[in-house]
Amino acid sequence: MRISVASLFFLGISIDATGGQVVTYPCPSAGTSTILPISPTTESTTIRLPKVSNPNGLCILLRRAAGVGNRRAHVARSYADRQWERVAGLFAESDSGVAVDCEAGGANECDVTLPVLQQGEEFVLESHDATEPLSENEAARFLEQATFGGSLQDIQSLVSTGNDFHAWLDDQINVQPTSSIRAFYRRHTNPKFEFPYNTGAVSKLPCEQYSRWRRYAITSRDCLKERKTGLQKHLEVKSFSWGYGIFVDGFFRTASASRPKFWGGIEDIKLNYRYRIGTTQEANWRSDCIGCAVLLWDADWGDKGMIKVFPNPEVKFSGVPSSVNPYNTVNLPEMNSIDLPSIDNGENWPAFATWVHPNENVLLNTTSLEDTNQCEGFPDFYIPIPHDEPGAPKGAFPTVFGRTPSGIEFAYDPHLALQENTVDNPLPDGGGRLSIATQGLWRGSGTGHRTPGEQVMCQNVEPNFLNEEGCKLSYLKEACSPSQYPDDMIYLDEATVAGLREMTSKNVYIVENLEIDKLLDVSSLYGAPCGDGAYISRWIHDETDLLCESSVVLGEETVRMFRALIDARGESVVANAHLVDVQKAVFPNGLQCSAGDKTKTIFGSILASDGTCWRHVHHQEHSVVDFSGMLPDFDPTGDVVVYEAEDQTMSGANFKTSHLGFSGTGYADYGAASGLYVEFSNVDGGSGGWCILKFRYTMGSLDARPLSVTLNGEYAGELAIATTVDSTGAGSWDVWEEETFATVCRAGMNTVRVTSTLDAGGPNLDYMSYQDANQVGGTDIQQYVTPGSSFVSLPFIDAPIIGRLGDHIVDSLVWPFNTQAITDAFKTVTFNPLESPVLVCGSPEEVGSDPFNGDKGFDIVVPENEGFREKSIWELSSMRHTSWTELALHAKDSLRQKMAWSLSQVIAVGLPGSGMVFYEETEQFIAFYDIFIRNAFGSYRDILKEVSFNKIMAKWLSFYGNTSLQYNIENKGEASFPDENYAREIMQLFSIGLYKLNMDGTKVRENGSLVETYRIEDVVSYARSWTGFEGVYKRGGTSTSGRRGDDSLDPMNIRALKRDLFPKSDLNQGFIGDRSAPLCSDLPSGHALRKGAVWTLLGSNPSPRLQEDPDDWGPQLKRSLDINPASPLFNKLCSPTLYGDCTFPASVVLDENLSYDPTSASEMTEQTVDTIRTVQIKTSGLATPVFYEYKRQPCVEHSFFDNGVKLVQARNIQGQQTKPSMCGDPRLAIATPMCCSSAGLGHFYCNYQGERMTFASAQLMCGSHGEDICQTGDVSEDSECGTGATSDAFRSWSSGGCEVHAKVDLFSGEVAIVHNMDDQTDVEAMVDKDTLNFFKVKWEESAPSMNDCLASSSCIVHEKSCICSTAVIDHQVFLSADEVSSADELMENLYTGAVDPATFDEGHYSSLGSCNISGVTVYSKSGAVCSSLDQDTVFALEVKNKQYFLKNSNSKVLLTGTSSSFRNPVQYNSLADPEVRDMLFETDETIDSLFYHPR
């Protein structure tokens, strides 16, 4: 029987495309299912399904294993009058075998092509009917999806809006402030605290607001081991007439009228017995209450001892005498008043009510006690007081007490309080105050016995891309820089000089009113300041001369030069703000004295650029001098009394007889150490007065071994012990000499001690003789002293100069500053003695502790015994778990928290079972998680950057410390390639995935195969972008796993030495840097002064942050450009207020091209140089200048170029070259000028040390001095910029030529760069013929074969490679705008970026409009029009919100003598002058290449 197609359609049966029968299956009734009668087959089947018209209906097509309840997979669905569609899961992809065609069946039916059905499987239709949900249910379901679940209050609030989900989403996105897990964690970190650690110290002292007080005597901190030694505290009970005293490590804690008993009140605690206090880490906090259990170890109980329970006593100190409790009692406010609220009460901790009692912990909530003297004489609670209690930590803090008006007694309860150091509000002193307060404690290195505690590290954060906009200048003396420890300095002012006289009994004075000798030889060292041989002249800051009118007329050139020299003062942390010694050897470039000033010896006054006046004085004016040598002459009287050294008291010295020639029975032999002494007691001084002491000694060593002399416990002076020599002049221990020492002895008996001051020890001392003396004449310095002062007026100085007025003395070997007693008496421990502008920066969410949160939160100071932590890793990690849970459940921005959690599942670190779980890095891990919270509604690109610079991620995916191939070859002796882990995972897991996707998320196929997003060679290339990453300086103020400071919280930096410098191919057959950045050779002149130029604040540090200066460059080197106050740049960087005061913004972006008067070039050098690294701004009122770094815009250079110039490593006059040569692109400012006269010896000239310039500018610089570019590298260090120029940190242009060759791997087609010198000198290993630094290129046709290489006279076969000379061809791409159909065509065909035309001067570029190219603006600078473009034409367009400027030019490299060519690669990093700045740019572009990838 034949049935027509029309009849089949009428019966509900259609025909599929292959002619097969298509059966329609209606959905079953709600709540039921239907098994479709489809048998397993090897071919796909098409069925027709009507859509669900019920607005509450749902029909699902399933494939499942036969039988109800078995494994099932959703295939398609229709619901609420919607057409059928594929669903998420196995069949979501277009290649899954499922296809849905809703056109064939009309408006109400769809044809569904089913996947192949296997044996034991079946297709099922299943229907559901969802009635209209209740509003509460709908709100609850929504909140469960959008958050971690809503509370009843949240649900009701949403229902009250009519379930306006859109409004709720808007509100959630805009919740401010955003919640932070790190902030929550830090606010709840308030642990009881004692010994300082690297990370922090007690923050609030007894009389300060927010100090804590307790009513129980023993604390949980007493129960813990000291973390470095593992020692525990001990408790002891003593009996007194007034009762019983309980002591911990020798310090009084509380009193008791009756003898204390153990738990139960039966057994008495033993008297004068030291019980070790101990408990488990988990239970120690249960001791923090009156009557709660404290565990004491009784070692005398049986063979193994016994732990006994002691009830924690209440604090009582009434009636205790000052001999036991020596400190004042603080008068506290009334308990439970606003000024002294009770905290940590039991009702706030219901689960812990047994151990958390009300009204036993209070918080001082007033500043009223800070202005009183109640806390005078208290210990500082930073430096532990040493003690010798056996078995206990070798230091402790005493307890101080307070009492309320109603008589309630408290003990001060030290706590840790983390300090706020956020991005917007960085810590003003950078954490320097705490570091200074704990100075002298262990710094985390060394061995041997150590007292408890460690010096707190500076908390200041290195500037980085997260915080640099919020950095501020601090002028506090305590302000510290990252990684800095405070210095012990002695400030040499008039008060210090007076103190030195009193302490040493020496005639130490300041010299004044010295006249400049007009008859001095003008060529002498201190003669005429401009004389041919003059080097030093002294200038004093004259604050009285407001007009600064000089009494001497000087030439303009002289004034300009000395002003520049005086301006250069104060670039050191120990600079003298009062006077400056000018050295002619560092005369600025291009400046010299006027001819008429070369013989003048008096120069008058000069006005410095900052408005201060400086007066020329005698070169010894205001020197601090020890005039003790100018003593009166003496006539010895009376008998000589000899005191044999071997009969005296010795400490460290030993009785010896091995060297002959001694008197008596032997001599005292000093050991090899400082602090060893011989003490002569009962030295009879008769009636008192002048006496002469003679010391007989032998000292055959050639090193200095002075002895310090103290008389009756007071420092008296120093013995200069000279080497004793034999007749041949050699040092001998058998030759004895005498050293005379005159002093004033007191009547009766005297004690003389002579002590070694150096580690080398002292001499062999035979005896000391004593003799009375009378003054018979000589000079009395007192007649020259200005009465009541420390100044003397003398016509000359013939005595030792020990310093200058205003000096800061650091680590001096000059008497008296080399003696510990003097250092201890006069030192000022400080970071910033001149109150220079120090840059302080913070960290995201680094908030301070909230004192009202109590101390039952987080304890980051876990005890540690040489690496062993009693608190388990689970408890450490539980701190972050608790913080996360609190925010997940209670944060106001719950949508942000859910979004952050979702992101953390995509970018995950530290998975259990991985071997690197970061359990202990509590704050570091939650700071990593905060990246997702902070950027939950921002750009995913920002997330990629933050995680890429995070040390947690770097350690997790093993690119921390990743090094380049070249570094591994040169430093590890192995040709190992960079680690590829992160390069692979950031692509596969974090960004583009394994396969390219269509816009609907399905995978792209070509010829039936999936299209991969990257290949293994791409992983290798991208791995080179993740080299050089290292942590920044460790710092304090945070929790750390090792408790040694931390460097995991702050973004990593890049170490230039370890970075791969070569071109890196991208995923689109191009290079990292294509299109995104212009060529460096195209940057306009003076680009640092043009619109968009970025300047970043450095503070008082002249070293750039993003560029590297040699480590050995000291403050004496001029490494910055001085900016004239009249300069337009000065005004931009100063950013003055309405009153003219500079504000010094953290970052300055020029909003216009700066306009200069061409005649000001000599005064404003910044407009004439090719490169600027840093500049200095000087203003009145600042002792030191403020520095800014110029952050040059991102730019790239072509790897291959023509007309190369040989770059040499500067050599000193001995001709020792430290590095081989390289080839440089003469268009780039990458080297210094090295100029030669006819004599042949090279000289350096510069505007600042290390100035880089182009080859043409170098030629001009040499020519301006009548010299030419050198061929060799032999350089005089005495030349103008020679000091430091011989460093191997940079290179110089030479007159030699060179070529860039291409080394082609004949198997892979990859290319490496080879430099070839015309004179065949050695080249750097990374670019010599044996280089292994290959990279992928895009060949126009094909790479050369072995035959091609052999056939070309310009190529050679080297191992498995072909090395060819090259020719670079730059060619125009589009001749007319008519050839361009769209912006996409520009992006596909142009690879070279261009400079933004707005950067150039007005009129340099002209806009041609769009030239009929949609979304594009065309610019011309040479008269080109739309119909006739040129190579300089620039196309401006935007793709995916990223701005591009494209140059109408591409560059290719031709292998000469062959037909092979490839596109000229671009690279961010200069091989000759690599800088961190460019490596950071390259990393940014690497991330962009993934974020903007057209997957």
Side-chain angles (χ1 to χ4, degrees):
M1 178 179 179
R2 297 173 62 89
I3 301 178
S4 68
V5 172
S7 299
L8 291 173
F9 184 79
F10 180 79
L11 295 173
I13 301 173
S14 61
I15 303 297
D16 67 8
T18 62
Q21 180 176 312
V22 178
V23 180
T24 299
Y25 295 101
C27 289
S29 58
T32 65
S33 62
T34 300
I35 300 174
L36 302 185
I38 299 174
S39 301
T41 178
T42 57
E43 298 180 359
S44 61
T45 302
T46 300
I47 62 174
R48 177 161 292 172
L49 299 174
K51 73 175 182 179
V52 175
S53 58
N54 180 357
N56 298 315
L58 168 66
C59 187
I60 306 172
L61 174 63
L62 307 169
R63 188 183 74 178
R64 72 183 185 191
V68 178
N70 291 339
R71 179 173 52 85
R72 49 193 266 163
H74 288 206
V75 178
R77 69 182 178 185
S78 172
Y79 64 96
D81 203 30
R82 290 178 172 85
Q83 296 282 20
W84 283 85
E85 62 186 11
R86 293 196 305 270
V87 295
L90 292 176
F91 305 108
E93 300 284 351
S94 59
D95 57 352
S96 62
V98 176
V100 178
D101 181 4
C102 292
E103 294 182 0
N108 297 315
E109 294 181 323
C110 297
D111 285 356
V112 179
T113 302
L114 303 177
V116 174
L117 195 66
Q118 305 294 333
Q119 289 292 336
E121 294 182 333
E122 60 190 14
F123 287 112
V124 178
L125 282 174
E126 184 177 279
S127 290
H128 302 271
D129 187 10
T131 58
E132 184 68 26
L134 296 174
S135 297
E136 289 82 359
N137 292 345
E138 189 177 25
R141 182 178 63 183
F142 173 80
L143 291 176
E144 187 174 357
Q145 294 172 335
T147 71
F148 293 101
S151 65
L152 181 59
Q153 182 180 357
D154 295 332
I155 295 171
Q156 292 172 345
S157 175
L158 185 55
V159 169
S160 68
T161 67
N163 283 344
D164 189 341
F165 299 148
H166 290 288
W168 184 90
L169 291 171
D170 287 340
D171 291 342
Q172 280 289 301
I173 291 173
N174 294 303
V175 169
Q176 292 294 334
T178 60
S179 301
S180 157
I181 297 183
R182 186 184 182 199
F184 178 90
Y185 170 78
R186 289 178 63 88
R187 289 193 181 102
H188 288 81
T189 297
N190 270 316
K192 294 183 186 295
F193 199 70
E194 191 168 22
F195 305 124
Y197 298 148
N198 289 151
T199 54
V202 173
S203 181
K204 300 302 178 184
L205 299 180
C207 286
E208 293 180 339
Q209 186 178 22
Y210 305 133
S211 63
R212 298 282 298 265
W213 297 78
R214 67 175 190 273
R215 295 184 61 190
Y216 42 91
I218 311 301
T219 75
S220 55
R221 190 59 60 183
D222 297 326
C223 300
L224 300 179
K225 293 180 180 179
E226 197 278 315
R227 75 178 188 87
K228 289 188 300 183
T229 61
L231 299 175
Q232 290 182 268
K233 295 183 180 182
H234 289 67
L235 180 144
E236 184 177 6
V237 177
K238 298 180 181 181
S239 176
F240 296 93
S241 60
W242 42 264
Y244 295 88
I246 298 177
F247 296 78
V248 174
D249 283 352
F251 290 103
F252 173 74
R253 284 296 181 88
T254 188
S256 174
S258 59
R259 183 170 177 174
K261 297 179 183 295
F262 285 110
W263 198 277
I266 298 175
E267 181 185 356
D268 288 335
I269 194 167
K270 288 184 286 190
L271 300 179
N272 304 313
Y273 179 84
R274 300 180 68 253
Y275 292 91
R276 190 179 74 218
I277 308 174
T279 185
T280 61
Q281 176 78 26
E282 294 80 3
N284 72 301
W285 59 270
R286 299 177 184 176
S287 302
D288 289 333
C289 47
I290 298 173
C292 290
V294 176
L295 304 185
L296 301 181
W297 177 260
D298 187 350
D300 291 343
W301 188 279
D303 295 335
K304 298 183 179 180
M306 175 178 282
I307 293 179
K308 299 182 177 181
V309 180
F310 177 60
N312 199 343
E314 184 177 359
V315 170
K316 295 291 184 182
F317 56 87
S318 295
V320 176
S322 60
S323 59
V324 175
N325 176 25
Y327 301 104
N328 296 332
T329 297
V330 178
N331 295 319
L332 296 171
E334 192 56 75
M335 184 174 176
N336 287 325
S337 65
I338 295 177
D339 292 339
L340 196 71
S342 176
I343 59 174
D344 285 342
N345 292 321
E347 62 267 21
N348 299 326
W349 307 86
F352 308 131
T354 302
W355 307 284
V356 182
H357 299 170
N359 300 319
E360 291 187 359
N361 298 276
V362 294
L363 178 77
L364 182 63
N365 189 30
T366 176
T367 61
S368 61
L369 301 186
E370 296 179 7
D371 298 327
T372 69
N373 60 0
Q374 293 193 54
C375 291
E376 287 185 3
F378 281 9
D380 61 13
F381 293 98
Y382 297 125
I383 307 296
I385 298 176
H387 66 73
D388 294 322
E389 296 286 327
K394 301 305 178 184
F397 292 105
T399 304
V400 297
F401 301 95
R403 184 184 290 115
T404 67
S406 61
I408 303 175
E409 295 179 332
F410 289 90
Y412 168 59
D413 196 15
H415 278 64
L416 172 71
L418 298 178
Q419 300 185 87
E420 180 178 355
N421 188 39
T422 59
V423 170
D424 295 327
N425 190 31
L427 200 56
D429 64 357
R433 181 184 65 84
L434 283 181
S435 186
I436 290 171
T438 54
Q439 197 264 353
L441 293 177
W442 188 57
R443 289 186 179 178
S445 61
T447 58
H449 174 76
R450 303 190 296 266
T451 57
E454 301 161 348
Q455 182 172 4
V456 177
M457 300 180 73
C458 180
Q459 193 174 339
N460 198 357
V461 184
E462 285 279 335
N464 56 64
F465 65 92
L466 293 178
N467 68 8
E468 60 186 356
E469 294 296 328
C471 295
K472 296 177 174 59
L473 292 180
S474 173
Y475 301 90
L476 299 175
K477 286 187 176 182
E478 300 86 1
C480 62
S481 298
S483 78
Q484 185 186 8
Y485 281 105
D487 291 312
D488 292 347
M489 295 185 178
I490 297 178
Y491 180 51
L492 209 52
D493 59 3
E494 187 175 358
T496 301
V497 173
L500 289 173
R501 278 199 313 279
E502 179 179 355
M503 186 170 179
T504 65
S505 300
K506 295 285 188 176
N507 290 320
V508 180
Y509 287 96
I510 307 163
V511 180
E512 66 176 351
N513 299 326
L514 290 172
E515 293 188 13
I516 302 175
D517 189 352
K518 303 179 180 62
L519 301 179
L520 282 175
D521 182 357
V522 296
S523 64
S524 70
L525 183 63
Y526 301 106
C530 278
D532 293 334
Y535 289 95
I536 300 175
S537 59
R538 179 165 293 184
W539 301 75
I540 286 181
H541 180 200
D542 191 345
E543 299 184 59
T544 63
D545 191 350
L546 300 180
L547 298 179
C548 203
E549 295 179 349
S550 179
S551 59
V552 179
V553 178
L554 300 174
E556 291 185 6
E557 291 181 330
T558 302
V559 173
R560 187 162 56 247
M561 181 178 67
F562 275 89
R563 176 179 294 129
L565 290 169
I566 293 171
D567 285 347
R569 74 193 185 279
E571 296 181 11
S572 166
V573 71
V574 293
N576 191 316
H578 173 66
L579 59 82
V580 59
D581 289 332
V582 165
Q583 300 183 34
K584 184 190 173 188
V586 292
F587 277 9
N589 178 42
L591 299 179
Q592 57 184 353
C593 289
S594 303
D597 296 329
K598 290 189 175 182
T599 59
K600 293 179 180 177
T601 58
I602 300 177
F603 267 34
S605 300
I606 285 181
L607 186 67
S609 297
D610 60 3
T612 55
C613 186
W614 295 80
R615 175 168 49 87
H616 179 217
V617 296
H618 189 281
H619 67 273
Q620 292 179 329
E621 183 76 359
H622 284 188
S623 293
V624 180
V625 181
D626 176 16
F627 289 103
S628 300
M630 298 176 64
L631 291 171
D633 297 329
F634 298 102
D635 180 14
T637 62
D639 297 330
V640 176
V641 181
V642 175
Y643 298 85
E644 292 289 345
E646 66 271 21
D647 298 331
Q648 310 303 315
T649 301
M650 289 184 279
S651 175
N654 297 297
F655 172 78
K656 290 290 183 66
T657 60
S658 54
H659 294 290
L660 301 179
F662 55 82
S663 65
T665 61
Y667 56 86
D669 181 356
Y670 282 80
S674 61
L676 313 179
Y677 65 80
V678 177
E679 185 172 277
F680 299 87
S681 57
N682 296 320
V683 178
D684 191 351
S687 60
W690 284 105
C691 58
I692 295 177
L693 306 177
K694 291 185 179 181
F695 297 87
R696 189 170 188 259
Y697 71 94
T698 179
M699 212 272 286
S701 176
L702 297 179
D703 54 351
R705 298 188 183 181
L707 296 176
S708 172
V709 181
T710 59
L711 179 62
N712 301 318
E714 299 290 336
Y715 178 79
E718 188 171 281
L719 285 177
I721 302 298
T723 302
T724 51
V725 298
D726 59 19
S727 58
T728 67
S732 172
W733 291 95
D734 294 318
V735 177
W736 298 82
E737 301 284 354
E738 281 189 343
E739 181 69 19
T740 301
F741 188 86
T743 186
V744 178
C745 295
R746 70 187 181 193
M749 296 303 165
N750 295 263
T751 299
V752 180
R753 178 184 290 186
V754 280
T755 306
S756 60
T757 61
L758 302 178
D759 291 340
N764 294 337
L765 189 61
D766 187 15
Y767 62 69
M768 180 193 77
S769 67
Y770 171 90
Q771 191 174 18
D772 290 333
N774 292 324
Q775 180 180 348
V776 296
T779 303
D780 185 359
I781 191 64
Q782 297 301 321
Q783 62 183 304
Y784 298 102
V785 175
T786 303
S789 77
S790 291
F791 290 91
V792 297
S793 297
L794 284 173
F796 63 92
I797 296 177
D798 186 17
I801 296 176
I802 63 174
R804 308 174 305 172
L805 185 64
D807 275 348
H808 291 83
I809 310 296
V810 181
D811 295 330
S812 175
L813 297 178
V814 176
W815 181 91
F817 309 115
N818 60 348
T819 59
Q820 191 63 46
I822 296 297
T823 301
D824 291 341
F826 297 102
K827 71 180 179 183
T828 299
V829 183
T830 185
F831 284 102
N832 187 26
L834 297 183
E835 299 179 356
S836 302
V838 174
L839 191 67
V840 291
C841 307
S843 175
E845 306 301 338
E846 194 163 296
V847 301
S849 303
D850 184 344
F852 291 94
N853 282 333
D855 63 6
K856 296 300 183 287
F858 305 127
D859 186 352
I860 70 171
V861 286
V862 180
E864 173 190 31
N865 181 8
E866 298 300 337
F868 173 75
R869 296 169 186 82
E870 291 199 356
K871 178 166 279 192
S872 72
I873 57 177
W874 303 109
E875 290 178 275
L876 292 172
S877 61
S878 68
M879 297 181 188
R880 72 186 190 217
H881 298 159
T882 300
S883 301
W884 181 90
T885 303
E886 284 292 324
L887 262 66
L889 297 180
H890 304 299
K892 298 298 183 183
D893 50 359
S894 51
L895 176 64
R896 180 182 291 273
Q897 302 303 316
K898 184 65 173 286
M899 184 67 180
W901 177 83
S902 302
L903 289 167
S904 74
Q905 305 309 295
V906 177
I907 303 179
V909 295
L911 301 177
S914 67
M916 189 180 293
V917 195
F918 305 106
Y919 285 123
E920 301 174 39
E921 282 82 354
T922 304
E923 188 169 357
Q924 295 79 1
F925 192 94
I926 59 179
F928 175 83
Y929 189 93
D930 263 359
I931 295 173
F932 308 121
I933 297 179
R934 192 161 51 246
N935 297 288
F937 303 133
S939 170
Y940 189 71
R941 196 266 183 208
D942 293 337
I943 294 177
L944 287 178
K945 179 168 183 177
E946 287 201 44
V947 299
S948 296
F949 278 84
N950 189 280
K951 186 178 176 181
I952 293 283
M953 175 60 75
K955 293 179 71 176
W956 170 239
L957 291 181
S958 61
F959 73 99
Y960 183 78
N962 199 14
T963 51
S964 68
L965 168 64
Q966 192 62 38
Y967 179 88
N968 295 337
I969 292 172
E970 295 181 5
N971 296 275
K972 299 180 182 179
E974 58 185 32
S976 57
F977 290 87
D979 186 281
E980 299 170 5
N981 200 2
Y982 189 64
R984 179 180 295 104
E985 303 303 344
I986 191 176
M987 290 191 287
Q988 178 179 337
L989 300 180
F990 303 163
S991 58
I992 59 176
L994 289 172
Y995 303 105
K996 290 186 177 180
L997 303 179
N998 295 306
M999 289 302 294
D1000 64 355
T1002 58
K1003 295 185 179 72
V1004 174
R1005 288 180 177 270
E1006 290 183 0
N1007 301 321
S1009 299
L1010 296 175
V1011 179
E1012 296 178 334
T1013 54
Y1014 63 87
R1015 303 171 66 86
I1016 184 60
E1017 57 265 30
D1018 298 316
V1019 175
V1020 173
S1021 177
Y1022 270 71
R1024 297 192 290 113
S1025 287
W1026 303 110
T1027 53
F1029 284 83
E1030 293 185 347
V1032 294
Y1033 293 116
K1034 291 186 176 182
R1035 63 183 183 88
T1038 66
S1039 71
T1040 63
S1041 58
R1043 317 299 184 264
R1044 295 287 181 270
D1046 183 71
D1047 62 354
S1048 300
L1049 284 163
D1050 308 317
M1052 296 182 294
N1053 208 341
I1054 296 177
R1055 178 89 181 277
L1057 180 66
K1058 299 181 179 181
R1059 180 75 171 194
D1060 183 280
L1061 303 179
F1062 292 92
K1064 298 165 181 68
S1065 57
D1066 63 13
L1067 303 178
N1068 299 306
Q1069 297 186 323
F1071 298 93
I1072 300 297
D1074 279 350
R1075 306 177 186 87
S1076 296
L1079 295 173
C1080 297
S1081 57
D1082 286 345
L1083 294 180
S1085 60
H1087 47 82
L1089 309 174
R1090 294 183 177 274
K1091 183 178 180 180
V1094 179
W1095 294 84
T1096 56
L1097 184 63
L1098 297 174
S1100 56
N1101 183 5
S1103 297
R1105 179 169 62 90
L1106 302 177
Q1107 303 164 85
E1108 292 190 352
D1109 281 346
D1111 294 336
D1112 58 352
W1113 278 14
Q1116 76 280 4
L1117 293 182
K1118 175 181 168 55
R1119 64 181 80 177
S1120 303
L1121 281 178
D1122 294 326
I1123 302 301
N1124 191 299
S1127 164
L1129 180 61
F1130 185 102
N1131 186 65
K1132 292 289 186 181
L1133 301 183
C1134 167
S1135 187
T1137 64
L1138 293 176
Y1139 301 100
D1141 298 323
C1142 290
T1143 59
F1144 297 121
S1147 179
V1148 175
V1149 180
L1150 299 187
D1151 56 358
E1152 60 180 342
N1153 292 338
L1154 302 185
S1155 178
Y1156 282 79
D1157 182 349
T1159 63
S1160 65
S1162 61
E1163 296 287 342
M1164 303 179 189
T1165 319
E1166 67 268 20
Q1167 62 184 307
T1168 63
V1169 296
D1170 288 342
T1171 59
I1172 300 177
R1173 296 167 74 79
T1174 61
V1175 299
Q1176 56 179 332
I1177 305 293
K1178 295 176 181 174
T1179 62
S1180 58
L1182 287 183
T1184 55
V1186 173
F1187 293 88
Y1188 274 89
E1189 178 180 8
Y1190 168 51
K1191 184 179 178 181
R1192 194 213 61 211
Q1193 73 174 88
C1195 66
V1196 295
E1197 45 186 84
H1198 278 132
S1199 305
F1200 293 84
F1201 49 87
D1202 294 332
N1203 305 313
V1205 177
K1206 178 181 177 182
L1207 296 173
V1208 298
Q1209 190 63 48
R1211 294 186 294 181
N1212 60 22
I1213 55 177
Q1214 284 78 31
Q1216 296 175 344
Q1217 188 163 343
T1218 56
K1219 280 188 178 180
S1221 303
M1222 293 187 71
C1223 195
D1225 187 338
R1227 300 167 297 178
L1228 300 177
I1230 54 175
T1232 65
M1234 186 170 60
C1235 310
C1236 287
S1237 61
S1238 56
L1241 189 63
H1243 299 87
F1244 283 104
Y1245 301 103
C1246 64
N1247 293 286
Y1248 59 90
Q1249 286 288 344
E1251 178 187 5
R1252 276 73 153 174
M1253 58 186 69
T1254 65
F1255 181 68
S1257 296
Q1259 288 178 311
L1260 291 174
M1261 177 69 82
C1262 293
S1264 67
H1265 291 83
E1267 298 178 357
D1268 298 315
I1269 296 288
C1270 295
Q1271 169 64 33
T1272 65
D1274 295 324
V1275 181
S1276 169
E1277 292 190 5
D1278 293 333
S1279 60
E1280 187 175 283
C1281 295
T1283 305
T1286 55
S1287 166
D1288 62 1
F1290 50 87
R1291 301 177 180 276
S1292 301
W1293 296 109
S1294 77
S1295 58
C1298 59
E1299 295 180 347
V1300 183
H1301 293 179
K1303 180 180 180 180
V1304 183
D1305 187 308
L1306 293 171
F1307 292 89
S1308 67
E1310 292 186 325
V1311 170
I1313 300 168
V1314 174
H1315 288 181
N1316 186 63
M1317 303 298 117
D1318 290 354
D1319 57 7
Q1320 301 303 307
T1321 53
D1322 291 340
V1323 299
E1324 280 279 5
M1326 63 178 172
V1327 287
D1328 70 7
K1329 65 182 186 306
D1330 295 318
T1331 180
L1332 298 177
N1333 292 288
F1334 289 96
F1335 48 87
K1336 188 171 65 173
V1337 299
K1338 182 179 181 181
W1339 293 96
E1340 288 197 339
E1341 298 293 337
S1342 62
S1345 65
M1346 176 68 78
N1347 291 334
D1348 295 332
C1349 189
L1350 294 172
S1352 173
S1353 61
S1354 299
C1355 301
I1356 61 169
V1357 176
H1358 182 70
E1359 298 177 343
K1360 299 178 182 180
S1361 302
C1362 179
I1363 300 178
C1364 299
S1365 60
T1366 63
V1368 175
I1369 302 173
D1370 296 333
H1371 58 94
Q1372 182 175 340
V1373 179
F1374 295 107
L1375 300 178
S1376 168
D1378 295 336
E1379 300 175 5
V1380 184
S1381 61
S1382 65
D1384 290 342
E1385 187 173 2
L1386 292 174
M1387 292 293 288
E1388 291 172 4
N1389 292 278
L1390 298 178
Y1391 308 108
T1392 308
V1395 181
D1396 182 353
T1399 303
F1400 293 86
D1401 294 333
E1402 187 176 352
H1404 189 86
Y1405 272 95
S1406 57
S1407 173
L1408 303 181
S1410 68
C1411 290
N1412 294 321
I1413 310 172
S1414 177
V1416 176
T1417 302
V1418 185
Y1419 295 91
S1420 167
K1421 73 171 184 179
S1422 54
V1425 294
C1426 292
S1427 59
S1428 179
L1429 307 177
D1430 59 21
Q1431 285 194 48
D1432 293 323
T1433 300
V1434 173
F1435 300 94
L1437 62 153
E1438 188 176 285
V1439 179
K1440 295 182 178 179
N1441 297 319
K1442 184 175 180 179
Q1443 181 73 52
Y1444 291 91
F1445 296 96
L1446 303 179
K1447 188 176 181 180
N1448 188 27
S1449 174
N1450 285 337
S1451 178
K1452 69 178 180 179
V1453 180
L1454 176 66
L1455 304 187
T1456 53
T1458 75
S1459 60
S1460 297
S1461 62
F1462 56 86
R1463 185 159 72 79
N1464 199 351
V1466 294
Q1467 59 189 81
Y1468 278 95
N1469 302 308
S1470 170
L1471 300 182
D1473 188 29
E1475 298 287 7
V1476 172
R1477 169 199 63 207
D1478 303 317
M1479 299 166 190
L1480 293 171
F1481 290 152
E1482 181 182 60
T1483 304
D1484 274 332
E1485 187 56 31
T1486 299
I1487 295 171
D1488 276 355
S1489 72
L1490 302 176
F1491 181 72
Y1492 293 104
H1493 185 271
R1495 57 171 295 191

